[in-house]
C-alpha cells in the first residue's frame, strides 16, 4: 500500500501491540530500541503486581502492572476471577494509564499559590511548609467562621474505602461539612428513595444473561459499561429481546433488536402509556402487587393522604409499629390494619372501588385504593396522547407494553443521562411501574437498574469513616445558595474553605463557572487540592498536595456493578514526592489536634497503616465481608456475600423471597433514616407528603422538560433557545479522567466535538468539521461539528470531561444551572435523598464560531 514507517514509529507501534496483545505476559521480555539492530540488552527480571483500576466507571477491573527496575512498563487485564465470565477485564483507557502516571502533568512536589487563582502560578515547597500552611489556614477559618464553613468534597467511596475514608474521618473529627459525591455527580436517581426507600440498586451483569427482555432507557451500555457490555450481547444471543429507548441512535441502539426513538425527557409519558395497557388488559401480577406494593392501601379523597389505622373507628395502630413507620388501612369486606413490617395481606384485599369510612370522631370520608387512583390517573395516557408527547407511534406503545408484560424475566435499565433532568424522579417512578406491575422484582434476571457512579457502599464502614457524627451539605446548595425548604443545615457563615480530592470540580461539576467565580472573588477564602495531575481545579487551589496514583498505594475497592472486593497493591513507590491521602490526612490531623492523629494508626508507614485500616474494615464490616481476610485479598478478588444463592446481586431478593419489609439498608445510613421514605414497608407509588401533593406528583406523572425549570427561571428562554444541551459520557474518558491521556486524545483527533442532526446543521449553515459555539445566557463551549443523522432533532450533544485548557478556557458546564427540585428536599439523608444535579435540563443554541 506504499505506507512507510520510520524506525522509531515501528518500535512504538510494536511496543503498543505487545501491551495490547499481552505478549509481555511471558515474564522476561522487554521491548527497547537496543533490541532492534543493536547489541542485545541483558534480560531483566520482570515483576507483576495485581492491582485494580478504579476511576468512577463502576467496572473496577483487575489489572496486572509489569514493573521493571521500579518502573511500570505495561498494564494488562487480569483473568483471575473465580467466575471466568468476569475476566479478563480492562479497556484501552485503563491499559494506557501509564501515559498519565508518567505524563507531563504529574505533580512532583507540594505547591503553594503565588499568583492569581486559575493562572497556575505556584512555588514548590517542602511537605512541612505545605502542611503547616494548610493546617494554620484551616484553623484560622474554623475559628473565624466555624468549622462547618469548611467543606470537604470527595469522590465515589467504592473506589477507595481506605484513602477517602481517611479524609472523611478527618472531616468528622474537625467538624467540617462533607459534600456527598452521589448527588454532586448527578448520579443519584431520586425515584429509588421515593419508590423503594433505597439509595439505588442494580443487577450484577452476570444476571443480565438470565433476562428474557431488556428495556434500556437512556443508558449507553456499550460506552459507559464497556467492560460488561458483552453480557448484554450474551443475553441477546441467549434469546433475550433487547430494546433501546433513546432520542439518539447510540452505540447500544446499534446492538439492539429494536431502537425506539423518542423525544428528550418524554420517557414518563411512554412508561405511563404502557402501564395503562398492562392494567386495562389485566396483564399485571395481582398477587405481587397486593403483597409487596402500596396499591391496596386506601387514600382519603378529602385530604389526599393515606388512611391511617388510628383514624378509623374500630381500628388501632399496632403497638409494635416502629416510630418511623405507619399503619395504614386496606379493605377486603372489612377494614384491615396494614402492618408495615409484615408483608402478609390476604389475597382478597380490594384493589378497586370507592368506599365510605367512618372515622373515630364520627365523620365519614370517602377513600379509594391506590390501584384505583392509578387506574383512573392512567386513563389520560391513551396512545394518541403518548404519541404526541413522545413521538412513538401509539400502536408501538401498545405492542411494547404487551411484550414487556408477558416476557419474563423483564429487566429495565434506566440510565443517568435519562434521569439527570429536572423531572428525572418522575420518569424513574413511571418506569418502575413496568417491572413492579408485572412482578419482575427480586428474581434472577429481573428488576430495574441504574448503572451510574459507583458510590454505593457494600458493607459497614462506620468504624473507619465516622469516628464522630458527620455533617453533610449537598453540593447544589454551594452553587445555588440556601433555599427556604432545605432540610440540610446551611453553615451560619456560608462556605469559606473548600478541600477536594479524587475529582476535578472546577471543570467537571454543575456550574463549574460559579465555583471559579467564588474562587476568583474570594468567596472561597482557602482552597486545598489533592491530585496527581495538574487539573483545572488544582490551578484554582491555594495549596496542592501531590498524591500517589492507584498503582502507588494500598487501597480496598468495591463497586455496586462488579460483585468482587479487590485490593489495590502498590506496584511502584510513589513517584517524586507524592504521598497517599491517608498519610496527608494523618499529618493534617496531628497539626489540627494531636488527639485526632490517634485514629490514623500513627507510627506506621502509609502502606502498613492502610493494611491496618483494611483489617479493621473487614473485622467490623458485617455479614457482606464475613470471613474475608487481607491475605485472601492479596491472592485475588473475593466475591462479597449476600442472601442470594451463589452470593449473587439481585435487588430486593430478601424482600420478595423472605417477605422482609422494604427497604433494605442503604449504607452508611441507618435503616431508620431510610425506612421513613416508605412508611408502609412496601414499594410505594403514591407519595402523600405535602410537596408531592402541591406539585400534583402524588402518582407518577409526565411533565414536559424546561417548563418548571428553564422557562420558570427565564421566560424569555422559550423562544430564544430551542436546543436541548446533552453532555454525554465519552468512550475516551471516564468523566475528567484521561482528558490529558495522549492516546485517548489522538483517537479523537485532539479535538472536542459537537454532535448535531444534519437538518439542524443545515438550518444554521453549519458543515461537517466547522468550529461551532454552543451557548446560552450563562456560558458557552466550542467544538468541531459532527453531523449525525441518527441524532434527534433540536439536540446538541457535547461529550463531557474535557479540561478547560482543551476548550480555550471555556467550560461545558458554564451552560448548566443548579436547579433544585422541591421533591428532592422533602427529606435529607446524605447521598440518598438529596437534591440531584439535572445536567441535561439545559437549553442552548448553536452557531459557527465567530458569528455574532
Amino acid at each position: 500500500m506504499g505506507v512507510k514507517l520510520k524506525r522509531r514509529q515501528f518500535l512504538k507501534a510494536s511496543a503498543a501491540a505487545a501491551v495490547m496483545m499481552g505478549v509481555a505476559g511471558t515474564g522476561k521480555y522487554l521491548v527497547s530500541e537496543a533490541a532492534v539492530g543493536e547489541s542485545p540488552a541483558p534480560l531483566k527480571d520482570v515483576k507483576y503486581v495485581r492491582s485494580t483500576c478504579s476511576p468512577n466507571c463502576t467496572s473496577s477491573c483487575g489489572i496486572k502492572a509489569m514493573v521493571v527496575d521500579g518502573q511500570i512498563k505495561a498494564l494488562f487485564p487480569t483473568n483471575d476471577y473465580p467466575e471466568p465470565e468476569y475476566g479478563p477485564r480492562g479497556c484501552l483507557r485503563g491499559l494506557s494509564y501509564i501515559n498519565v502516571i508518567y505524563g507531563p502533568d504529574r505533580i512532583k512536589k507540594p505547591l503553594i499559590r503565588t499568583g492569581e487563582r486559575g493562572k497556575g502560578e505556584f512555588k514548590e515547597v517542602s511537605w512541612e511548609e505545605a502542611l503547616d500552611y494548610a493546617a494554620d489556614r484551616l484553623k484560622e477559618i474554623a475559628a473565624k467562621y466555624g468549622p462547618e464553613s469548611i467543606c470537604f468534597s470527595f469522590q465515589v467511596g467504592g473506589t477507595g474505602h481506605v484513602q477517602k475514608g481517611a479524609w472523611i474521618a478527618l472531616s468528622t473529627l474537625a467538624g467540617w461539612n462533607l459534600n456527598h459525591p452521589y448527588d454532586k455527580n448527578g448520579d443519584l436517581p431520586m425515584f429509588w428513595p421515593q419508590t423503594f426507600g433505597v439509595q439505588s440498586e442494580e443487577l450484577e451483569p452476570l444476571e443480565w444473561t438470565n433476562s428474557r427482555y431488556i428495556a434500556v432507557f437512556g443508558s449507553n451500555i456499550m460506552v459507559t459499561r464497556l467492560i460488561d457490555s458483552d453480557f448484554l450481547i450474551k443475553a441477546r444471543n441467549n434469546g433475550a429481546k433487547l430494546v433501546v429507548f433513546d432520542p439518539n441512535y447510540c452505540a447500544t441502539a446499534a446492538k439492539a433488536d429494536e431502537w425506539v426513538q423518542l423525544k428528550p425527557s418524554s420517557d414518563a409519558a411512554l412508561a405511563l402509556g404502557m402501564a395503562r395497557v398492562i392494567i386495562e388488559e389485566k396483564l399485571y401480577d395481582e398477587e405481587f402487587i397486593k403483597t409487596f406494593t402500596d396499591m391496596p392501601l386506601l387514600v382519603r379523597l378529602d385530604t389526599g393522604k393515606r388512611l391511617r389505622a388510628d383514624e378509623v373507628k374500630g381500628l388501632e395502630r399496632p403497638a409494635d409499629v416502629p416510630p418511623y413507620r405507619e399503619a395504614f388501612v386496606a379493605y377486603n369486606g372489612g377494614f384491615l390494619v396494614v402492618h408495615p413490617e409484615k408483608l402478609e395481606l390476604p389475597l382478597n384485599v380490594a384493589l378497586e372501588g370507592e368506599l365510605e369510612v367512618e372515622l373515630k370522631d364520627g365523620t365519614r370520608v370517602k377513600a379509594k385504593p391506590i390501584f384505583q387512583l392509578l387506574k383512573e390517573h392512567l386513563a389520560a395516557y391513551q396512545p394518541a396522547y403518548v404519541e404526541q408527547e413522545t413521538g412513538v407511534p401509539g400502536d408501538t406503545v401498545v405492542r411494547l407494553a404487551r411484550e414487556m408484560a408477558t416476557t419474563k424475566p423483564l429487566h429495565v435499565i434506566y440510565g443517568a443521562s435519562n434521569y439527570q433532568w429536572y423531572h428525572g424522579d418522575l420518569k424513574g417512578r413511571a418506569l418502575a411501574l413496568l417491572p413492579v406491575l408485572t412482578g419482575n422484582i427480586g428474581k434472577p434476571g429481573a428488576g430495574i437498574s441504574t448503572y451510574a457512579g459507583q458510590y454505593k457502599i457494600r458493607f459497614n464502614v462506620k468504624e473507619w469513616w465516622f469516628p464522630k457524627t458527620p455533617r453533610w451539605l449537598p453540593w447544589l446548595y454551594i452553587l445555588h445558595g440556601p433555599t427556604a425548604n432545605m432540610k440540610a443545615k446551611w453553615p451560619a457563615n456560608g462556605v469559606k474553605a473548600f478541600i477536594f480530592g479524587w475529582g476535578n470540580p472546577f471543570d467537571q461539576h454543575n456550574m463549574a463557572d460559579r465555583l471559579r467565580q467564588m474562587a476568583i472573588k474570594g468567596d472561597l477564602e482557602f482552597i486545598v487540592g489533592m491530585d496527581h495531575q495538574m487539573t483545572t481545579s488544582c490551578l484554582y487551589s491555594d495549596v496542592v498536595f501531590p498524591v500517589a496514583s492507584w498503582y502507588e498505594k494500598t487501597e480496598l475497592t468495591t463497586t455496586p456493578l462488579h460483585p468482587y472486593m479487590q485490593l489495590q497493591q502498590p506496584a511502584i513507590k510513589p513517584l517524586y514526592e507524592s504521598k497517599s491521602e491517608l498519610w496527608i490526612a494523618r499529618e493534617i490531623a496531628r497539626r489540627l489536634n494531636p488527639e485526632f492523629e490517634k485514629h490514623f494508626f500513627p507510627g506506621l508507614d502509609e502502606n502498613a497503616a492502610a493494611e491496618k485500616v483494611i483489617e479493621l474494615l473487614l473485622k467490623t464490616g458485617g455479614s457482606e465481608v464475613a470471613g474475608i481476610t487481607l491475605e485472601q485479598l492479596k491472592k485475588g478478588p473475593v466475591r462479597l456475600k449476600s442472601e442470594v444463592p451463589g452470593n449473587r446481586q439481585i435487588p430486593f431478593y430478601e424482600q420478595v423471597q423472605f417477605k422482609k419489609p422494604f427497604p433494605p439498608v442503604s449504607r452508611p445510613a441507618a435503616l431508620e433514616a431510610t425506612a421513613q421514605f416508605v412508611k408502609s414497608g412496601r414499594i410505594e407509588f403514591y407519595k402523600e407528603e405535602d410537596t408531592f401533593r402541591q406539585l400534583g406528583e402524588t402518582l407518577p406523572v409526565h411533565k414536559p422538560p424546561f417548563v418548571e425549570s428553564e422557562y420558570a427561571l427565564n421566560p424569555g428562554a422559550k423562544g430564544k433557545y430551542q436546543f436541548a444541551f446533552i453532555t454525554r459520557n465519552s468512550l475516551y474518558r471516564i468523566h475528567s479522567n484521561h482528558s490529558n491521556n495522549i492516546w485517548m486524545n489522538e483517537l479523537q483527533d485532539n479535538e472536542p466535538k459537537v454532535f448535531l442532526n444534519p437538518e439542524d446543521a443545515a438550518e444554521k449553515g453549519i458543515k461537517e468539521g466547522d468550529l461551532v459555539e454552543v451557548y446560552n445566557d450563562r456560558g458557552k463551549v466550542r467544538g468541531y461539528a459532527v453531523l449525525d443523522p441518527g441524532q434527534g432533532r433540536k439536540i446538541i450533544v457535547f461529550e463531557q470531561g474535557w479540561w478547560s485548557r482543551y476548550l480555550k478556557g471555556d467550560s461545558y458546564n458554564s451552560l448548566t444551572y443548579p436547579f433544585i427540585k422541591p421533591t428532592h428536599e422533602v427529606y435529607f439523608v446524605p447521598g440518598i435523598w438529596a437534591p440531584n444535579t439535572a445536567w441535561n435540563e439545559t437549553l442552548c443554541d448553536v452557531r459557527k464560531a465567530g458569528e455574532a
Side-chain angles (χ1 to χ4, degrees):
M1 296 177 62
V3 177
K4 294 183 179 181
L5 285 178
K6 295 180 180 178
R7 179 171 172 274
R8 184 173 294 275
Q9 290 174 319
F10 172 77
L11 290 169
K12 285 183 177 179
S14 299
V19 171
M20 296 310 297
M21 297 297 291
V23 173
T26 54
K28 289 208 175 186
Y29 178 75
L30 192 63
V31 176
S32 70
E33 290 201 20
V36 182
E38 298 177 16
S39 299
L43 291 176
K44 299 178 180 179
D45 287 333
V46 178
K47 179 176 73 171
Y48 289 90
V49 179
R50 192 199 192 278
S51 192
T52 310
C53 186
S54 63
N56 183 20
C57 69
T58 77
S59 297
S60 197
C61 297
I63 298 290
K64 286 190 300 184
M66 183 177 77
V67 182
V68 181
D69 290 342
Q71 188 179 52
I72 298 174
K73 294 293 185 181
L75 300 170
F76 303 96
T78 59
N79 198 23
D80 58 354
Y81 292 93
E83 293 159 296
E85 296 93 336
Y86 276 117
R89 300 177 72 79
C91 71
L92 183 57
R93 294 169 298 202
L95 300 182
S96 65
Y97 197 65
I98 50 175
N99 293 328
V100 178
I101 295 173
Y102 296 108
D105 291 313
R106 186 70 191 248
I107 303 170
K108 298 179 179 180
K109 292 174 67 70
L111 304 172
I112 292 179
R113 180 174 61 87
T114 58
E116 294 179 34
R117 283 175 170 165
K119 300 298 184 182
E121 296 171 0
F122 296 91
K123 65 177 180 179
E124 292 184 339
V125 298
S126 68
W127 270 107
E128 287 296 308
E129 184 177 350
L131 292 165
D132 288 344
Y133 177 63
D136 288 345
R137 290 288 285 123
L138 292 169
K139 285 193 286 187
E140 176 187 325
I141 288 170
K144 185 176 180 180
Y145 302 109
E148 69 276 7
S149 69
I150 301 170
C151 279
F152 171 57
S153 175
F154 66 104
Q155 269 301 338
V156 288
T159 59
H161 296 285
V162 175
Q163 308 293 339
K164 295 183 178 73
W167 276 86
I168 293 169
L170 175 58
S171 299
T172 66
L173 289 167
W176 302 338
N177 259 305
L178 293 163
N179 301 137
H180 201 288
Y182 216 42
D183 50 83
K184 176 177 68 178
N185 295 346
D187 287 342
L188 174 56
M190 277 298 296
F191 83 93
W192 277 118
Q194 293 169 353
T195 309
F196 297 92
V198 296
Q199 182 184 58
S200 60
E201 285 290 354
E202 55 280 305
L203 286 175
E204 66 172 273
L206 199 52
E207 281 296 322
W208 297 353
T209 59
N210 289 326
S211 302
R212 286 298 169 265
Y213 202 104
I214 302 176
V216 181
F217 290 84
S219 180
N220 195 5
I221 290 170
M222 301 305 295
V223 170
T224 60
R225 302 292 170 262
L226 180 64
I227 300 307
D228 291 299
S229 61
D230 61 318
F231 289 109
L232 198 66
I233 304 304
K234 288 177 183 176
R236 188 181 170 210
N237 292 342
N238 287 348
K241 181 170 184 178
L242 174 60
V243 183
V244 172
F245 299 82
D246 202 302
N248 304 320
Y249 188 71
C250 62
T252 307
K255 300 293 184 182
D257 295 287
E258 185 173 356
W259 170 46
V260 179
Q261 187 176 33
L262 70 170
K263 297 176 183 177
S265 202
S266 65
D267 308 75
L270 180 62
L272 295 171
M274 291 192 283
R276 182 196 62 81
V277 175
I278 291 169
I279 287 177
E280 288 191 357
E281 297 188 5
K282 297 188 180 300
L283 300 175
Y284 52 87
D285 186 330
E286 185 173 341
E287 181 175 346
F288 184 90
I289 63 176
K290 286 180 175 179
T291 304
F292 298 107
T293 79
D294 66 348
M295 299 290 185
L297 305 186
L298 297 176
V299 172
R300 291 177 53 162
L301 301 187
D302 60 335
T303 64
K305 298 268 191 175
R306 288 194 185 89
L307 186 65
R308 284 150 170 76
D310 57 10
E311 295 178 309
V312 179
K313 183 178 180 180
L315 300 183
E316 297 294 339
R317 174 189 169 106
D320 61 344
V321 171
Y324 50 83
R325 299 286 200 186
E326 187 55 80
F328 298 113
V329 180
Y331 182 79
N332 70 336
F335 294 104
L336 304 170
V337 176
V338 181
H339 198 295
E341 303 276 292
K342 300 174 182 178
L343 304 182
E344 51 187 30
L345 278 178
L347 293 181
N348 67 345
V349 69
L351 291 175
E352 300 185 54
E354 181 177 305
L355 302 161
E356 188 173 77
V357 188
E358 185 177 358
L359 304 182
K360 287 181 176 177
D361 63 4
T363 60
R364 293 179 176 273
V365 298
K366 292 183 178 181
K368 291 181 180 180
I370 290 169
F371 184 87
Q372 176 70 40
L373 295 174
L374 178 65
K375 185 176 180 179
E376 294 170 5
H377 172 66
L378 294 177
Y381 291 88
Q382 297 293 327
Y385 171 74
V386 175
E387 183 170 344
Q388 168 193 303
E389 294 300 300
T390 68
V392 179
D395 56 351
T396 300
V397 176
V398 174
R399 172 178 59 80
L400 291 169
R402 292 169 178 162
E403 288 179 2
M404 289 189 199
T406 57
T407 310
K408 297 185 177 183
L410 165 68
H411 184 207
V412 173
I413 298 175
Y414 181 37
S417 178
N418 205 353
Y419 61 71
Q420 289 168 344
W421 292 75
Y422 190 78
H423 293 305
D425 54 348
L426 286 174
K427 290 190 285 181
R429 291 171 64 196
L431 287 167
L433 279 167
L434 303 177
V436 173
L437 285 173
T438 56
N440 282 288
I441 296 289
K443 301 168 184 176
I448 179 169
S449 301
T450 47
Y451 300 106
Q454 52 185 36
Y455 176 74
K456 186 180 175 185
I457 299 300
R458 300 287 300 280
F459 59 97
N460 183 21
V461 296
K462 181 180 183 299
E463 296 300 318
W464 173 234
W465 284 25
F466 303 121
K468 287 189 176 181
T469 303
R471 298 179 61 102
W472 297 88
L473 181 65
W475 177 255
L476 287 184
Y477 292 120
I478 295 177
L479 304 176
H480 184 285
T483 68
N485 298 313
M486 66 184 291
K487 300 296 189 295
K489 293 182 179 179
W490 179 254
N493 294 298
V495 177
K496 298 298 181 182
F498 183 63
I499 307 168
F500 68 88
W502 304 275
N504 186 11
F506 287 79
D507 260 333
Q508 182 61 26
H509 290 101
N510 186 281
M511 287 292 287
D513 273 14
R514 165 68 177 143
L515 200 61
R516 295 181 194 184
Q517 289 304 310
M518 290 172 69
I520 293 169
K521 293 177 180 178
D523 297 339
L524 293 173
E525 295 187 10
F526 189 58
I527 302 172
V528 178
M530 291 185 287
D531 210 316
H532 62 301
Q533 303 291 300
M534 184 53 75
T535 64
T536 305
S537 300
C538 289
L539 297 178
Y540 283 86
S541 300
D542 299 303
V543 176
V544 180
F545 294 139
V547 299
S549 76
W550 56 67
Y551 292 103
E552 300 165 12
K553 60 192 173 190
T554 300
E555 185 55 280
L556 182 68
T557 68
T558 63
T559 71
L561 180 67
H562 191 43
Y564 285 91
M565 175 174 275
Q566 300 174 91
L567 278 186
Q568 284 177 358
Q569 303 183 87
I572 58 174
K573 292 180 180 179
L575 292 183
Y576 311 110
E577 294 189 21
S578 56
K579 297 285 188 180
S580 72
E581 293 89 348
L582 169 56
W583 183 90
I584 303 168
R586 186 168 65 188
E587 289 294 315
I588 292 289
R590 178 165 57 85
R591 287 164 170 80
L592 294 180
N593 184 334
E595 289 297 310
F596 294 171
E597 186 185 15
K598 296 176 182 177
H599 185 72
F600 301 95
F601 298 96
L604 297 177
D605 74 38
E606 50 194 329
N607 287 311
E611 290 195 357
K612 287 293 185 183
V613 173
I614 293 170
E615 289 173 347
L616 174 66
L617 288 168
L618 294 175
K619 180 181 178 181
T620 62
S623 60
E624 290 82 359
V625 297
I628 300 176
T629 67
L630 177 59
E631 291 308 311
Q632 279 182 292
L633 292 169
K634 286 182 176 179
K635 295 176 183 177
V638 180
R639 186 182 257 275
L640 289 155
K641 312 294 176 60
S642 78
E643 294 191 45
V644 184
N647 293 314
R648 289 288 184 90
Q649 288 177 221
I650 299 177
F652 312 119
Y653 184 89
E654 302 95 316
Q655 280 64 44
V656 172
Q657 301 302 323
F658 309 135
K659 293 191 175 180
K660 291 185 177 181
F662 287 80
V665 67
S666 292
R667 289 190 171 88
L671 180 62
E672 293 81 0
T674 55
Q676 65 176 325
F677 304 156
V678 287
K679 293 180 175 65
S680 68
R682 289 155 168 78
I683 302 168
E684 291 188 357
F685 287 100
Y686 190 89
K687 306 308 294 179
E688 67 173 12
E689 290 86 352
D690 291 345
T691 302
F692 288 94
R693 291 189 297 109
Q694 291 161 5
L695 293 173
E697 298 181 12
T698 52
L699 289 165
V701 62
H702 165 64
K703 290 186 173 182
F706 310 122
V707 174
E708 295 180 24
S709 53
E710 288 279 37
Y711 303 157
L713 182 69
N714 175 17
K718 186 171 185 178
K720 188 175 182 181
Y721 300 115
Q722 299 182 5
F723 286 82
F725 178 60
I726 309 297
T727 48
R728 73 182 177 198
N729 289 306
S730 170
L731 178 65
Y732 307 104
R733 288 181 298 283
I734 299 155
H735 304 306
S736 184
N737 283 298
H738 299 285
S739 189
N740 61 334
N741 185 328
I742 57 171
W743 285 11
M744 297 299 99
N745 288 347
E746 285 177 4
L747 292 172
Q748 304 167 85
D749 304 317
N750 294 291
E751 293 177 347
K753 307 293 195 303
V754 172
F755 298 82
L756 65 164
N757 184 282
E759 294 180 49
D760 291 331
E763 291 177 1
K764 295 286 185 179
I766 294 170
K767 296 183 174 59
E768 183 85 21
D770 283 349
L771 180 64
V772 300
E773 181 176 273
V774 184
Y775 65 97
N776 60 20
D777 288 347
R778 296 184 287 267
K780 67 180 182 351
V781 67
R782 285 164 286 184
Y784 294 89
V786 176
L787 309 189
D788 181 358
Q791 187 158 311
R793 295 295 307 274
K794 300 300 178 183
I795 299 173
I796 296 294
V797 170
F798 186 87
E799 293 186 335
Q800 52 97 341
W802 286 103
W803 292 1
S804 185
R805 78 186 193 199
Y806 298 106
L807 303 176
K808 303 183 187 302
D810 294 341
S811 166
Y812 50 90
N813 279 324
S814 65
L815 286 81
T816 62
Y817 187 81
F819 293 110
I820 295 177
K821 186 174 180 183
T823 54
H824 295 194
E825 297 185 297
V826 172
Y827 300 98
F828 174 57
V829 177
I832 299 175
W833 192 308
N836 188 57
T837 298
W839 306 101
N840 292 327
E841 193 80 11
T842 302
L843 285 168
C844 69
D845 203 348
V846 62
R847 61 193 173 202
K848 284 186 180 179
E851 290 184 349

